[in-house]
Amino acid sequence: MELQKLSPAELCELLVREKIRRFFLVWDEEAGRVQVSHPQLEPLARLLEEDRRDFDRHEGVFVQVAPETGVLQGAFIHRTCRGQSAGGMRYWRYDTVEAYLRDGLRLARGMTHKNALAGLWWGGGKGVMARGTGLGTSDPAIRRRIYEEYGEFITSLHGVYVTAEDVGTSVEDMAAVFSRTRFTTCIPPALGGSGNPSVPTARGVVRGMEAALQHLGRGTLAGKTVAVQGLGHVGEPLVGFLAEKGVRKVIGSDIDPGRRDLAQRFPGLDLEIRIVERGDNSVLAVPADVVAPCATGGILNPRTIPTLQASIVCGAANNQLEDPERDDSLLEERGILYLPDFLVNRMGIVNCADEQYGYIEEDPSIERHLGDTWDNSIFNLSLKVLEEARRSGRTPARMALDLAEERSRELHPLWGHRGAAIIGSLVRTGWASVLQK
Ligand code: NAI
């Protein structure tokens, strides 16, 4: 069986049999190929090299089978020119090793773009643990140990990747990570962290919507109708902020029947809540001015795009386009203005970015991202991207991507390309030669 077709659990079994506890796939710029720590894993290096979609000369992929819990734990490092790679850690189920690797690669690259556009001196990275490998999480003590082991793994990477919270991981889990490494953010406030970033994320999405409306000469959010897919950590405060802006109506959908109660929380708002089945994307097609995907990715595709009635799509969900190039073009052909996620959902990572610099009430380093005065605020950068896109004939998503690529190659003003040096040192000093017990 080809390595990439194995399930993550089967890969773990194979690694244990071969006494491989850790492995890496590292881009060798001089040789123009992916260097792999163990010859048995060569096919994974070839998979990356031959891929044109998700692999983008990522500086390094580091993976371990956690020594005690047996969970497959990885750190995906895309580009570290601007500084240490940073991004959340996802605990998710994957059918195959290939799906696991692709998700990590894609998400890490997205973080490079988001961090660069936000003006953070951070590179792009992502952590991924595969559900269904090693011990399960039903016992809280085991769950804690899984995250402690992830923290120990991050420590072993000497700071080339700084982790954070993401899907499947809670702030409490981050406390367990923090107990084993300094290279994490998004820890609970009780430990000096910034806590839940979803409220500023929702505020940032509102600023993106306002820029899009202004660009189209359609005024403000007052009196508009907005459809929100997903009424979770971001979607719920988003509804509140939209109400404050005087929207006429919000149509929200969620798969969780518990979300029906939300209507009581916004008594003055015309809020229609639809509880739907997983995979039901009909909320995207309602008559509205703006659609805000705030649930899962991949929901803009050839099946949904033709049904859209709104002229603006602006939401928090990561990777909304199922196929970035194809679906961006489809949206453009329909005259729908799409503001990419990595341009407007930066506040999660921004909230976590400066934890070590302390806190100030209504923190100016946070507020400037949400205001009108800083030229790199979400509102101003979105306007700039939209105007330059119009001038150059590119789509806003293409324009934002080109800008992000350019910025992501700027070197950290103090530390230069230190991440690449850390990776080189990990490779030279035998990071992967720790044996499986
Ligand atoms: P969440 O898990 O709290 O909320 C998502 C909500 O969507 C849940 O209530 C869930 O039941 C619902 N949902 C799932 N599938 C659905 C479907 N098909 N139709 C309707 N509802 C559905 O997640 P959160 O934190 O609100 O994040 C939302 C999105 O924004 C995610 O894609 C996340 O990666 C992204 N994001 C979140 C940030 C944050 O600060 N929380 C920052 C940047 C991105």
Side-chain angles (χ1 to χ4, degrees):
M1 172 87 122
E2 289 174 71
L3 264 184
Q4 65 261 35
K5 302 239 168 78
L6 296 179
S7 70
E10 288 166 335
L11 176 70
C12 286
E13 283 166 24
L14 181 145
L15 294 173
V16 170
R17 258 198 324 274
E18 301 273 336
K19 293 204 173 312
I20 299 173
R21 198 178 109 199
R22 296 172 173 170
F23 72 87
F24 63 68
L25 300 154
V26 164
W27 176 247
D28 182 338
E29 186 67 40
E30 272 175 35
R33 51 186 319 204
V34 174
Q35 186 186 347
V36 61
S37 54
H38 298 78
Q40 304 94 307
L41 304 177
E42 239 352 283
L44 298 183
R46 301 292 82 76
L47 171 75
L48 266 51
E49 277 172 10
E50 286 159 19
D51 181 63
R52 293 283 163 273
R53 201 182 71 197
D54 300 315
F55 183 68
D56 176 39
R57 301 182 176 194
H58 286 62
E59 291 178 10
V61 176
F62 294 85
V63 181
Q64 79 162 1
V65 181
E68 281 177 37
T69 59
V71 172
L72 192 71
Q73 303 181 318
F76 293 73
I77 296 144
H78 176 236
R79 190 173 293 152
T80 60
C81 303
R82 290 184 74 90
Q84 291 159 290
S85 67
M89 204 281 286
R90 180 164 289 198
Y91 193 11
W92 203 244
R93 192 173 292 279
Y94 299 93
D95 290 339
T96 62
V97 171
E98 179 172 350
Y100 171 81
L101 290 174
R102 283 189 182 281
D103 206 31
L105 294 170
R106 195 171 48 89
L107 291 164
R109 187 162 176 246
M111 289 311 301
T112 293
H113 297 143
K114 191 185 307 191
N115 292 341
L117 284 188
L120 300 173
W121 286 111
W122 264 359
K126 201 82 185 180
V128 189
M129 298 202 295
R131 271 191 198 279
T133 60
L135 300 177
T137 52
S138 48
D139 177 343
I142 292 177
R143 184 174 178 107
R144 184 172 172 86
R145 188 69 197 120
I146 290 171
Y147 281 93
E148 285 171 355
E149 288 202 293
Y150 195 75
E152 288 156 10
F153 169 65
I154 295 307
T155 294
S156 80
L157 294 173
H158 295 180
V160 69
Y161 168 58
V162 178
T163 195
E165 195 189 342
D166 193 60
V167 180
T169 300
S170 69
V171 177
E172 291 69 44
D173 296 327
M174 296 318 294
V177 172
F178 182 56
S179 72
R180 293 296 189 276
T181 189
R182 65 180 303 151
F183 299 117
T184 185
T185 62
C186 289
I187 55 177
L191 297 173
S194 56
N196 183 355
S198 309
V199 172
T201 299
R203 285 178 67 198
V205 170
V206 169
R207 295 315 326 260
M209 291 177 185
E210 290 178 321
L213 286 165
Q214 180 167 317
H215 175 77
L216 293 178
R218 306 260 302 274
T220 66
L221 277 164
K224 302 290 191 297
T225 297
V226 181
V228 181
Q229 183 180 44
L231 301 167
H233 287 100
V234 177
E236 178 177 341
L238 177 62
V239 173
F241 292 127
L242 291 172
E244 283 174 20
K245 296 281 177 186
V247 295
R248 188 179 71 80
K249 184 175 171 76
V250 175
I251 304 160
S253 79
D254 206 292
I255 53 170
D256 174 6
R259 302 275 79 198
R260 210 186 283 283
D261 298 345
L262 208 63
Q264 291 154 14
R265 249 173 267 169
F266 304 102
L269 176 69
D270 182 357
L271 173 59
E272 178 187 332
I273 294 183
R274 299 182 176 183
I275 302 302
V276 298
E277 295 294 319
R278 195 177 288 277
D280 177 342
N281 289 312
S282 55
V283 73
L284 304 176
V286 299
D289 298 281
V290 183
V291 164
C294 295
T296 53
I299 39 76
L300 297 172
N301 53 50
R303 299 173 300 289
T304 57
I305 293 170
T307 68
L308 260 56
Q309 298 193 55
S311 50
I312 296 170
V313 179
C314 173
N318 285 315
N319 303 312
Q320 291 163 38
L321 306 178
E322 189 178 81
D323 179 316
E325 297 224 350
R326 178 196 67 197
D327 300 328
D328 189 31
S329 304
L330 284 178
L331 285 161
E332 202 203 10
E333 282 163 23
R334 289 220 45 219
I336 297 168
L337 190 162
Y338 164 67
L339 276 182
D341 44 11
F342 59 88
L343 180 59
V344 300
N345 74 2
R346 68 164 77 154
M347 290 314 292
I349 197 79
V350 165
N351 200 55
C352 294
D354 299 335
E355 284 185 348
Q356 72 271 39
Y357 297 106
Y359 304 99
I360 300 169
E361 197 62 21
E362 294 184 10
D363 201 329
S365 70
I366 296 285
E367 293 303 320
R368 67 185 189 144
H369 290 268
L370 297 164
D372 298 344
T373 47
W374 187 37
D375 61 359
N376 202 49
S377 70
I378 295 176
F379 181 76
N380 285 330
L381 186 62
S382 298
L383 274 184
K384 176 181 157 161
V385 162
L386 291 170
E387 279 156 21
E388 288 189 13
R390 181 183 276 166
R391 243 197 317 275
S392 65
R394 278 176 284 182
T395 66
R398 186 71 249 171
M399 186 66 228
L401 195 62
D402 290 351
L403 186 62
E405 274 288 313
E406 189 188 316
R407 289 189 181 178
S408 74
R409 290 174 201 277
E410 283 174 40
L411 288 180
H412 189 289
L414 297 177
W415 294 99
H417 202 171
R418 188 171 166 88
I422 298 175
I423 291 176
S425 142
L426 291 171
V427 169
R428 282 194 305 278
T429 55
W431 177 87
S433 39
V434 181
L435 288 186
Q436 185 73 47
K437 283 186 200 134

